[in-house]
């Protein structure tokens, strides 16, 4: 049967409760260990299936394993088998007698050589040319991926058969990465438990699967039962199942061992394994051990999944995960590069849900393993205990110790050179290479250091010098002590020190730099800004002058306009060729088939150098009289604000402001002015046609918020890092009201026409609804975590993203309607579809999301990096009614998606990081980049009507 059945065994798929023998046809009998010659050997289990046990193994139980492996591995006297397992681990019995019964050679080497991966590889595959290796995945991983690929699984390796068992089998992705090109080694997944010594199932990975580049979500299957073995999968009620999830039970007529004090055991006894699997189409897939299933953050989690995902990352040689004290998920990783931590956490956020992200990542020189070649969990726990003890020794010993440790955290968070002995007192976090995500990390590390939360610290980190951060922490941690503030240097540029020619005083009523009768010069225009926001003013009487492709003005939600202006967006002027204004909504809601199926291409039309990083988003203003005069307004960290011709890229004017510009520009009601905030605390009002300074208003701190204009009153609303919101009348050059917001206002305000509410968000986690006329707070909601995202209004709701990964939706009366959870912080602001039925936003988990207005996910698209920018919805200018979505990830990639399905249409990579948001007009996309340039890209392709 053995010689004739090889092909049958190799092709056979597992059948649940299948045996090589007809157990049920046999008369029930017992196996008795008192019979002469019954036992082959006695050993202890390692305790992986529960508490340690004594296992007495009969000859009749182990011999079928050896006989079947002889056939499956085609063992001859030419083979060399390596005794990889110690004699205390039952696979060693299979290795020894598989060689001896076949006339093959058995290689036995000293333990000292096993501990040296490079030496071991040389001995096995260069000197002794081992052909058959049975080992645990951990033993193989000790070689390291490079050595495995170049030696163990190379094209010229002597290794003919590799059988991995005793632990979770590596994922196919990892397995493929280990194989050198041209390798022909047969790779098997073997599975079993010592209580039914030794192996129970086997599966050979087909060459076709090993050579495939397709990603496989399922783990490698367990395969078919070995000779004499019965495999059953039972549910929680003990019933055998043919499909679904359950626990594996192993046995067989003679596949029976004596456990502990057992003297007789019924033939065919089935033993519980503690291993959970899923059965699909007659195939069994391993899910994890019973003791690997944990509950974390209210959700079930298999910690072996975390290890598999981490191991698939390029930078990870080998790793292990433990559930320390049943309260902390710890990832141990072999690496000598401490800087890899940030990369690993970033990558894990891409592939794992938030409840599966490890609490800590501990770098170690090598993974500890037991004498049986498995991961030594108890040793890992000792390593972590030493790790946290070392950290506790580094805890704050007093206020004298704070400055030094704060400097260390500052440098490590910003990846600054350790050669930098001292961080200058006046250093600002954002100016030193920090960003929003790093600021949260620094906050977390500081709070770990001092052992308590520090209220308001995030805002201080983002807006103040390291010395001010230090003093703020001192006040919280040592409140009863007389803290002496260091004043030896200016910690940041004080607003009172700003050049008087720039500021012209600090009172609310500023003197005019130049006079202009704005009301006599009313311009008709349409303004486009990030998030598909459209402002159409004074265009009704000039509508006959405008005739464009249907994408000329994205038919999206009207933001910052009053009800009278809504009709302008539905006019034939803005819809283009469509005669029915409702067609835009109809297409968006019903999702008619895309006419053009050709992939779109992006090509740079022009680029304009600003001198430094461009994090601000563009403002595009289209004059009603002369479309050819369309202008892009944008500022940069070089202090320069510039106006660029939309079509040619020619600079129309450039104005040097007092500090960095991260704020995006806003146009005045008359169209004659551009309003922009600055790091020096000033709000600049510039003439739109020349860039000349018309008025400057002073706030108490940096202004990174982008202004919003009320088309009814012409008032300008803006927030500041001084924790206030302002309403400015730029024509009368006065502050109408100033409202305390209870936290730094980083994001941009949003104006809703009915009810007439103005929304602000703070880094203190507050979403505020404010009366636009008075500045009085109508309602507020605490989100608990900082809000970097700007609020976005539609007719029924106001939506916003939070750094805790939640996207929140409220009614205009402050009632939370729903929340949607992502796996990373949300800094991206929302963008709504033209019908207000869908909302788009990005997350630091690297996805772009589309939800409906009930909070249900419609689709999500995975990018290659964090999505900080706000998406932009627009019509495809190919004559179709197709709605597209432009998004940007921080690695510089621009993504054009079909907005109905999220299907990728095109991708283009800029040469620098991108924190600016795209704006699309006609078939051109404008965006800023951290390579110092503003880019205009042509969107080409798609079938034309």
């Amino acid at each position: 049967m053995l010689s004739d059945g090889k092909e049958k065994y190799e092709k056979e798929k597992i059948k649940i409760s299948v045996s090589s023998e007809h157990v049920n046809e046999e008369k029930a009998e017992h196996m008795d260990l008192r019979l002469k010659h019954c036992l082959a050997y006695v050993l202890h289990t390692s305790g992986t299936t529960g508490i340690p046990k004594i296992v007495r193994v009969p000859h009749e139980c182990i011999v079928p394993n050896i006989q079947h492996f002889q056939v499956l591995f085609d063992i001859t006297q030419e083979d060399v088998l390596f005794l990889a397992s110690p004699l205390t681990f039952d696979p060693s019995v299979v290795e020894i007698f598989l060689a001896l019964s076949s006339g093959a050679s058995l290689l036995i080497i000293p333990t000292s050589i096993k501990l040296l991966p490079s030496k071991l590889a040389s001995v096995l595959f260069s000197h002794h040319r081992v052909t058959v290796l049975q080992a645990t995945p951990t033993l193989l991983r000790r070689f390291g991926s490079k050595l495995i690929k170049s030696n163990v699984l190379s094209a010229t390796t002597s290794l003919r058969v590799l059988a991995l068992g005793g632990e979770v089998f590596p994922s196919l992705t990892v397995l493929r990465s280990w194989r050198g090109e041209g390798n022909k080694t047969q790779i098997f997944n073997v599975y079993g438990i010592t209580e039914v010594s030794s192996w129970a199932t086997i599966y050979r990975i087909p060459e076709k699967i090993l050579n495939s580049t397709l990603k496989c979500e399922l783990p490698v299957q367990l395969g078919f039962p070995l000779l004499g073995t019965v495999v059953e999968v039972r549910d929680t009620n003990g019933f055998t199942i043919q499909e679904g999830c359950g626990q594996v039970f192993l046995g067989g007529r003679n596949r029976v061992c004596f456990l502990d004090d057992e003297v007789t055991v019924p033939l065919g006894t089935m033993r519980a394994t503690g291993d959970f699997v899923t059965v699909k189409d007659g195939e069994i897939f391993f899910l994890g051990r019973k003791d690997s299933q944990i509950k974390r953050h209210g959700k079930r989690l298999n910690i072996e999944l975390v290890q598999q995902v981490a191991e698939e990352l390029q930078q990870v040689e080998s790793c292990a995960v433990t559930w320390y004290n049943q309260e902390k998920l710890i990832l141990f990783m072999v690496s000598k590069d401490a800087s890899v931590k940030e990369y690993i956490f970033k990558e894990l956020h891409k592939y794992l849900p938030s409840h599966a992200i490890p609490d800590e990542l501990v770098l170690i020189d090598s993974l500890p393993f037991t004498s049986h070649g498995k991961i030594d969990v108890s040793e890992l726990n000792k390593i972590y205990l030493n790790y946290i003890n070392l950290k506790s020794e580094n805890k704050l010993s007093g206020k004298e110790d704070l400055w030094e440790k704060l400097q260390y955290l500052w440098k490590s968070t910003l990846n600054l050179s350790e050669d930098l002995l001292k961080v200058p007192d006046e250093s600002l976090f954002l100016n030193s290479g920090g960003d929003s995500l790093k600021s949260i990390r620094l906050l977390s590390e500081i709070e770990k250091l001092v052992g308590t939360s520090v209220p308001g610290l995030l805002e201080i980190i983002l807006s103040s010098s390291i010395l001010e951060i230090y003093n703020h922490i001192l006040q919280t941690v040592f409140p009863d002590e007389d803290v002496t503030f260091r004043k030896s240097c200016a910690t940041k540029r004080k607003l009172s020190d700003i050049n008087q020619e720039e500021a012209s005083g600090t009172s609310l009523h500023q003197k005019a730099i130049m006079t202009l009768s704005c009301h006599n010069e009313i311009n008709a225009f349409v303004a486009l800004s990030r998030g598909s926001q459209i402002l159409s003013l004074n265009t009704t009487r000039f509508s006959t002058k405008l005739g464009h492709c249907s994408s000329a003005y994205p038919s999206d939600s009207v933001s910052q306009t009053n009800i009278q202006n809504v009709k302008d967006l539905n006019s034939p002027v803005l819809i283009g060729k469509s005669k029915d204004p409702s067609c835009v909504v109809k297409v968006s809601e019903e999702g008619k088939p895309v006419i053009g199926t050709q992939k779109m291409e992006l090509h740079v039309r022009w680029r304009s150098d600003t001198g430094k990083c461009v994090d601000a988003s563009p403002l595009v203003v289209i004059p009603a009289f002369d479309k050819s005069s369309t202008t892009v307004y944008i500022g940069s960290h070089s202090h320069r604000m510039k106006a660029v011709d939309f079509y040619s890229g020619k600079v129309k004017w450039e104005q040097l402001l007092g500090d960095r510009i991260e704020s995006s520009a806003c146009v005045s009601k008359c169209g004659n002015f551009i309003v922009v905030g600055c790091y020096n605390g000033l709000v600049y009002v510039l003439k739109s046609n020349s860039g000349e300074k018309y008025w400057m208003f002073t706030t108490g701190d940096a202004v990174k918020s982008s202004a919003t204009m009320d088309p009814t009153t012409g008032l300008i609303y803006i927030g500041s890092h001084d924790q206030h919101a302002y309403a400015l009348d730029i024509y009368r050059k006065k502050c109408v009201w100033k409202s305390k917001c209870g936290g730094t206002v980083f994001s941009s305000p949003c104006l809703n026409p009915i009810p007439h509410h103005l929304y602000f968000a703070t880094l203190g986690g507050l979403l505020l609804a404010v009366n636009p006329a008075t500045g009085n707070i109508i309602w507020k909601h605490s989100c608990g975590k900082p809000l970097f995202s700007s609020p976005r209004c539609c007719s029924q709701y106001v939506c916003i993203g939070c750094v805790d990964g939640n996207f929140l939706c409220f009614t205009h009366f402050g009632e939370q309607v729903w929340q949607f959870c992502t796996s990373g912080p949300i800094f991206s602001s929302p963008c709504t579809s033209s019908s207000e039925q869908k909302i788009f936003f990005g997350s630091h988990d690297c996805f772009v999301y589309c939800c409906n207005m009930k909070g249900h996910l419609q689709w999500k698209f995975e990018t290659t990096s964090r999505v900080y920018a706000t998406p932009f919805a627009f019509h495809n200018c190919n004559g179709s009614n197709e709605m597209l979505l432009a998004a940007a990830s921080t690695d510089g990639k621009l993504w054009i998606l079909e907005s109905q399905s999220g299907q990728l249409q095109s991708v283009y990579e800029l040469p620098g990081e991108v924190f600016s948001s795209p704006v699309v007009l006609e078939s051109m996309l404008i965006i800023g980049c951290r390579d110092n340039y503003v880019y205009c890209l042509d969107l080409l392709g798609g079938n034309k009507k």
Side-chain angles (χ1 to χ4, degrees):
M1 184 188 73
L2 289 177
S3 58
D4 296 336
K6 178 182 175 185
E7 184 177 344
K8 171 192 168 186
Y9 278 115
E10 286 182 341
K11 291 184 177 179
E12 181 181 350
K13 288 187 176 179
I14 193 162
K15 298 181 180 63
I16 310 308
S17 198
V18 167
S19 173
S20 309
E21 303 180 23
H22 301 289
V23 177
N24 295 330
E25 294 177 8
E26 298 292 333
K27 184 179 178 181
E29 299 173 1
H30 287 75
M31 188 172 286
D32 192 333
L33 66 76
R34 293 167 296 189
L35 295 176
K36 190 176 182 181
H37 306 308
C38 174
L39 296 183
Y41 54 93
V42 179
L43 48 75
H44 286 76
T45 70
S46 61
T48 55
T49 59
I51 58 174
K53 304 179 185 75
I54 296 173
V55 182
R56 296 173 175 85
V57 184
H59 287 278
E60 288 183 82
C61 182
I62 189 65
V63 167
N65 265 198
I66 298 164
Q67 291 176 320
H68 203 169
F69 272 22
Q70 276 183 319
V71 175
L72 294 175
F73 297 162
D74 199 16
I75 306 296
T76 70
Q77 60 185 16
E78 304 300 322
D79 282 304
V80 178
L81 284 76
F82 170 47
L83 183 61
S85 309
L87 296 179
T88 53
F89 192 29
D90 54 334
S92 64
V93 177
V94 177
E95 291 165 351
I96 293 168
F97 290 97
L98 188 56
L100 297 182
S101 62
S102 306
S105 301
L106 183 70
L107 176 64
I108 306 173
I109 63 171
T111 304
S112 57
I113 294 179
K114 287 185 181 180
L115 299 175
L116 303 170
S118 58
K119 180 71 173 175
L120 178 62
S122 177
V123 168
L124 295 185
F125 305 109
S126 296
H127 297 302
H128 294 286
R129 307 290 292 171
V130 167
T131 60
V132 179
L133 174 61
Q134 174 190 263
T136 61
T138 294
L139 188 66
L140 186 66
R141 285 186 183 101
R142 286 182 60 81
F143 288 116
S145 58
K146 290 181 181 177
L147 198 55
I148 294 175
K149 195 167 188 174
S150 64
N151 198 325
V152 184
L153 294 177
S154 67
T156 57
T157 183
S158 60
L159 191 62
R160 190 173 57 77
V161 172
L162 173 64
L164 296 176
E167 292 177 313
V168 180
F169 195 82
S171 71
L172 281 173
T173 303
V174 171
L175 204 59
R176 289 164 180 162
S177 71
W178 285 347
R179 294 181 83 224
E181 189 175 349
N183 174 257
K184 297 298 181 184
T185 303
Q186 299 175 34
I187 302 177
F188 294 85
N189 178 16
V190 289
Y191 166 77
I193 58 172
T194 301
E195 290 89 333
V196 187
S197 190
S198 165
W199 301 114
T201 67
I202 190 166
Y203 176 70
R204 178 181 172 184
I205 319 299
E207 194 72 21
K208 182 179 178 181
I209 291 178
L210 287 173
N211 292 331
S212 173
T213 57
L214 295 175
K215 185 173 177 62
C216 182
E217 298 297 333
L218 286 171
V220 173
Q221 61 172 285
L222 294 187
F224 61 84
L226 287 166
L227 183 65
T229 306
V230 174
V231 179
E232 291 183 356
V233 179
R234 300 179 185 176
D235 62 18
T236 52
N237 296 317
F239 295 109
T240 301
I241 60 173
Q242 305 295 325
E243 197 83 7
C245 298
Q247 185 181 179
V248 177
F249 283 73
L250 298 177
R253 175 176 171 77
N254 294 314
R255 298 296 319 279
V256 176
C257 298
F258 301 93
L259 306 185
D260 294 330
D261 298 328
E262 292 177 345
V263 177
T264 60
V265 178
L267 297 179
T269 294
M270 303 295 290
R271 304 286 190 185
T273 63
D275 293 325
F276 287 86
V277 297
T278 184
V279 185
K280 187 175 181 181
D281 299 329
E283 297 172 343
I284 294 183
F285 298 92
F286 186 77
L287 293 178
R289 289 204 44 74
K290 184 177 181 179
D291 46 17
S292 295
Q293 304 288 318
I294 65 172
K295 193 164 186 178
R296 187 166 182 252
H297 302 329
K299 297 182 180 179
R300 301 298 303 179
L301 172 65
N302 176 15
I303 61 175
E304 288 166 349
L305 167 69
V306 181
Q307 179 173 329
Q308 284 193 1
V309 170
E311 191 177 51
E312 288 183 13
L313 302 179
Q314 270 191 336
Q315 302 262 3
V316 178
E317 279 284 326
S318 54
C319 64
V321 179
T322 65
W323 183 228
Y324 183 76
N325 283 351
Q326 296 189 327
E327 60 182 26
K328 276 191 170 184
L329 192 64
I330 313 300
L331 172 62
F332 296 87
M333 195 182 79
V334 177
S335 178
K336 293 180 174 61
D337 181 8
S339 65
V340 81
K341 273 190 175 186
E342 183 179 346
Y343 165 82
I344 296 300
F345 271 119
K346 177 182 172 183
E347 292 298 299
L348 290 178
H349 274 285
K350 288 184 184 178
Y351 304 110
L352 289 173
S354 56
H355 70 276
I357 302 298
D359 293 297
E360 291 202 58
L361 196 162
V362 180
L363 300 181
I364 54 179
D365 291 328
S366 61
L367 287 174
F369 64 108
T370 65
S371 59
H372 293 178
K374 298 183 179 182
I375 293 289
D376 192 334
V377 176
S378 62
E379 188 61 31
L380 285 176
N381 287 336
K382 289 178 186 176
I383 290 172
Y384 181 67
L385 186 61
N386 292 335
Y387 172 80
I388 57 177
N389 287 339
L390 184 62
K391 283 185 73 174
S392 65
E393 290 172 11
N394 293 330
K395 285 278 187 184
L396 199 60
S397 58
K399 63 181 182 180
E400 297 79 11
D401 191 32
L402 175 61
W403 179 248
E404 184 179 337
K405 284 191 165 62
L406 177 61
Q407 294 228 343
Y408 169 76
L409 293 177
W410 183 279
K411 288 187 282 188
S412 61
T413 303
L414 296 172
N415 294 322
L416 299 179
S417 171
E418 288 299 322
D419 297 335
L420 180 64
L421 298 178
K422 180 179 180 295
V423 179
D425 290 1
E426 67 276 11
S427 295
L428 296 171
F429 187 76
L430 294 176
N431 290 3
S432 303
D435 57 31
S436 305
L437 194 60
K438 288 179 180 176
S439 69
I440 295 172
R441 194 171 302 129
L442 178 60
L443 170 67
S444 175
E445 291 297 327
I446 290 173
E447 290 186 339
K448 279 183 191 175
L449 173 68
V450 300
T452 184
S453 61
V454 185
L457 181 57
L458 182 61
E459 298 172 30
I460 299 294
I461 291 172
L462 289 167
S463 61
S464 306
S465 68
I466 188 171
L467 180 56
E468 286 181 305
I469 296 169
Y470 166 73
N471 286 329
H472 182 82
I473 300 168
L474 280 182
Q475 286 180 298
T476 302
V477 181
F478 306 102
D480 300 327
E481 297 187 28
D482 181 20
V483 179
T484 303
F485 284 68
R486 301 172 58 182
K487 297 180 180 179
S488 57
C489 66
T491 57
K492 66 175 181 178
R493 188 181 180 198
K494 295 180 181 177
L495 295 174
S496 58
D497 295 335
I498 294 173
N499 187 308
Q500 291 302 307
E501 185 180 351
E502 253 182 34
S504 300
T506 57
S507 66
L508 292 181
H509 297 272
Q510 307 263 342
K511 291 182 180 180
I513 296 174
M514 60 179 292
T515 58
L516 179 67
S517 178
C518 304
H519 303 289
N520 293 332
E521 299 182 27
I522 303 297
N523 296 309
F525 63 89
V526 173
L528 302 181
S529 56
R530 64 177 184 163
S532 305
Q533 296 183 90
I534 303 171
L535 177 64
S536 175
L537 279 173
N538 317 312
T539 57
T540 306
R541 60 190 171 126
F542 306 114
S543 60
T544 56
K545 302 281 186 182
L546 298 171
H548 293 83
C549 163
S550 60
S551 69
Y553 309 105
S555 299
D556 207 277
S557 64
V558 183
S559 176
Q560 303 162 341
T561 60
N562 62 10
I563 292 299
Q564 292 175 338
N565 292 337
V566 174
K567 63 183 180 183
D568 295 333
L569 290 180
N570 290 327
S571 68
V573 173
L574 299 176
I575 301 299
K577 295 179 181 178
S578 171
K579 294 180 181 179
D580 178 8
S582 66
C583 73
V584 176
V585 177
K586 189 175 180 182
V587 171
S588 180
E589 288 177 346
E590 296 181 3
K592 289 185 177 178
V594 177
I595 296 172
T597 57
Q598 183 180 331
K599 291 293 181 183
M600 183 174 284
E601 292 184 5
L602 281 75
H603 296 286
V604 175
R605 182 186 184 95
W606 55 257
R607 64 175 190 163
S608 181
D609 190 3
T610 70
K612 277 194 175 178
C613 299
V614 186
D615 286 344
S617 300
L619 167 70
V620 179
V621 178
I622 309 103
F625 281 122
D626 184 11
K627 174 196 163 190
S628 64
S629 298
T630 298
T631 305
V632 178
Y633 299 94
I634 197 164
S636 88
H637 286 265
S638 65
H639 308 189
R640 285 189 255 174
M641 184 71 200
K642 63 196 305 181
V644 183
D645 182 87
F646 175 74
Y647 294 100
S648 68
K650 180 180 178 182
V651 177
K652 294 185 176 183
W653 57 256
E654 193 172 274
Q655 178 65 267
L656 192 66
L657 305 187
D659 208 330
R660 296 170 182 249
I661 307 166
E662 192 174 327
S663 168
S664 300
C666 166
V667 65
S668 66
K669 182 179 180 179
C670 63
N672 291 318
F673 302 108
I674 297 298
V675 182
V676 68
C678 187
Y679 270 41
N680 63 1
L682 296 185
V683 179
Y684 287 86
V685 182
L686 309 175
K687 285 191 66 177
S688 58
N689 62 353
S690 66
E692 292 180 67
K693 296 173 186 173
Y694 169 66
W695 182 48
M696 288 171 287
F697 173 77
T698 306
T699 74
D701 208 334
V703 181
K704 301 177 187 178
S705 171
S706 302
T708 292
M709 189 270 291
D710 188 336
T712 308
T713 63
L715 291 180
I716 298 292
Y717 305 107
I718 198 164
S720 169
H721 271 51
D722 68 2
Q723 304 194 10
H724 287 87
Y726 295 88
L728 306 178
D729 185 338
I730 62 171
Y731 303 116
R732 296 167 61 195
K733 296 179 185 173
K734 63 175 289 187
C735 178
V736 177
W737 55 255
K738 172 183 177 181
S739 179
K740 189 166 180 61
C741 294
T744 293
V745 182
F746 172 87
S747 62
S748 306
C750 177
L751 186 67
N752 190 67
I754 301 176
H756 201 203
H757 286 177
L758 180 65
Y759 294 100
F760 284 92
T762 77
L763 297 189
L766 290 177
L767 175 63
L768 306 165
V770 174
N771 185 325
T774 64
N776 294 332
I777 294 174
I778 301 169
W779 58 262
K780 62 182 177 181
H781 177 90
S782 176
C783 299
K785 294 290 183 181
L787 298 172
F788 286 90
S789 171
S790 298
R792 182 66 188 268
C793 300
C794 60
S795 58
Q796 286 184 291
Y797 306 119
V798 57
C799 300
I800 194 166
C802 183
V803 297
D804 63 2
N806 285 315
F807 187 82
L808 308 166
C809 178
F810 301 87
T811 67
H812 289 296
F813 302 100
E815 298 171 353
Q816 184 172 323
V817 184
W818 52 264
Q819 75 176 41
F820 177 86
C821 184
T822 73
S823 300
I826 300 175
F827 292 84
S828 169
S829 300
C831 163
T832 56
S833 66
S834 56
S835 61
E836 294 192 349
Q837 296 301 307
K838 294 185 177 66
I839 192 156
F840 311 99
F841 59 93
S843 170
H844 275 41
D845 64 6
C846 305
F847 280 91
V848 177
Y849 290 87
C850 172
C851 291
N852 65 19
M853 280 305 176
K854 292 182 179 179
H856 299 146
L857 180 66
Q858 302 301 290
W859 55 260
K860 65 177 184 177
F861 175 83
E862 185 174 13
T863 71
T864 51
S865 187
R866 296 172 292 163
V867 182
Y868 183 98
T870 301
F872 192 99
F874 63 101
H875 275 293
N876 190 350
C877 194
N878 66 351
S880 73
N881 279 324
E882 182 182 36
M883 286 294 293
L884 301 177
L885 190 76
S889 50
T890 55
D891 58 359
K893 289 196 178 73
L894 304 178
W895 309 86
I896 306 299
L897 311 175
E898 199 279 309
S899 69
Q900 187 71 16
S901 64
Q903 183 179 356
L904 180 65
Q905 301 296 302
S906 184
V907 62
Y908 184 90
E909 186 169 5
L910 293 173
E913 288 187 312
V914 171
F915 287 78
S916 171
S917 298
V919 170
V920 179
L921 172 62
E922 296 176 0
S923 58
M924 285 169 275
L925 182 150
I926 308 289
I927 196 166
C929 181
R930 284 197 166 178
D931 71 343
N932 306 346
Y933 284 87
V934 180
Y935 284 85
C936 176
L937 295 101
D938 283 317
L939 308 177
L940 305 174
N943 297 330
K944 302 250 182 183
K945 273 192 173 180

